Amino acid sequence: GLLTTIACDAMGRPAYALEAAIFIAGAAIQWLRDGLGILTTAVESEAAARTLSSTDGVYFVPALVGMGAPHWEPRARGTIVGLTRGTTSAHLVRAALEAMAYSTADILAVMRTRAGRGAGGFSAERNAPLRVDGGATENDWLMQFQADVLGVPVERPDQIETTALGAAGLAGLAAGIWPNVDAFQATRKFTRFEPGERRETARAGAAGWARAVRATLSWARDAS
């Protein structure tokens, strides 16, 4: 997963972009499907997550190829904690989805802090909606959970393949199909997910997530 945020100056003008790479996001669901066989299709993950009210303390840190931002630990490996005899495949699926949301929250927290250190007092707007794209965003449950964890709206475009859309937009601008960028942007529509009544519960789980991440990093760095 790739996360980009724009830092603005005191006049609200875009000044520079901050970008971070989360090595494994939606690929964790692919691993549960192809590696463990507990899903037939990635789409099934939404229904599985909805069968539970929580992960019952199960956390999945999907460091399957090491950890990217903000930890940058290549020796890290995937970690699942909190298993009990009551744990089912649905708990693992939901934990994988929650990991995407918590990882994104971790990255945004660092971006906001570092943007505030920029010259001229640049800062990332804290209440701005998060705009998302990519295959994982088709999961409505995940989008709502992401909004709840962050406490800000999440906006999903009607065309989730934004990279291809951007290339098409540039071609359209060059060909005169749209007179300017604003005209092109006006053609876009978004589904908006607002933080809901489960916001506090979702955010409370961040403490357990942080503990699971510490366990993963400790395992990676314990050379003895």
Side-chain angles (χ1 to χ4, degrees), residues 123-148:
S123 63
E125 187 179 348
R126 291 186 176 272
N127 296 319
L130 176 71
R131 286 192 169 176
V132 298
D133 72 317
T137 66
E138 291 182 312
N139 188 317
D140 287 354
W141 182 90
L142 174 59
M143 295 300 94
Q144 184 59 59
F145 187 78
Q146 184 72 83
D148 291 340

Side-chain angles (χ1 to χ4, degrees), residues 83-109:
L83 298 177
T84 69
R85 289 189 64 182
T87 300
T88 67
S89 59
H91 288 87
L92 299 183
V93 172
R94 177 158 171 156
L97 293 174
E98 289 192 359
M100 291 188 229
Y102 287 132
S103 295
T104 299
D106 289 346
I107 292 295
L108 282 176

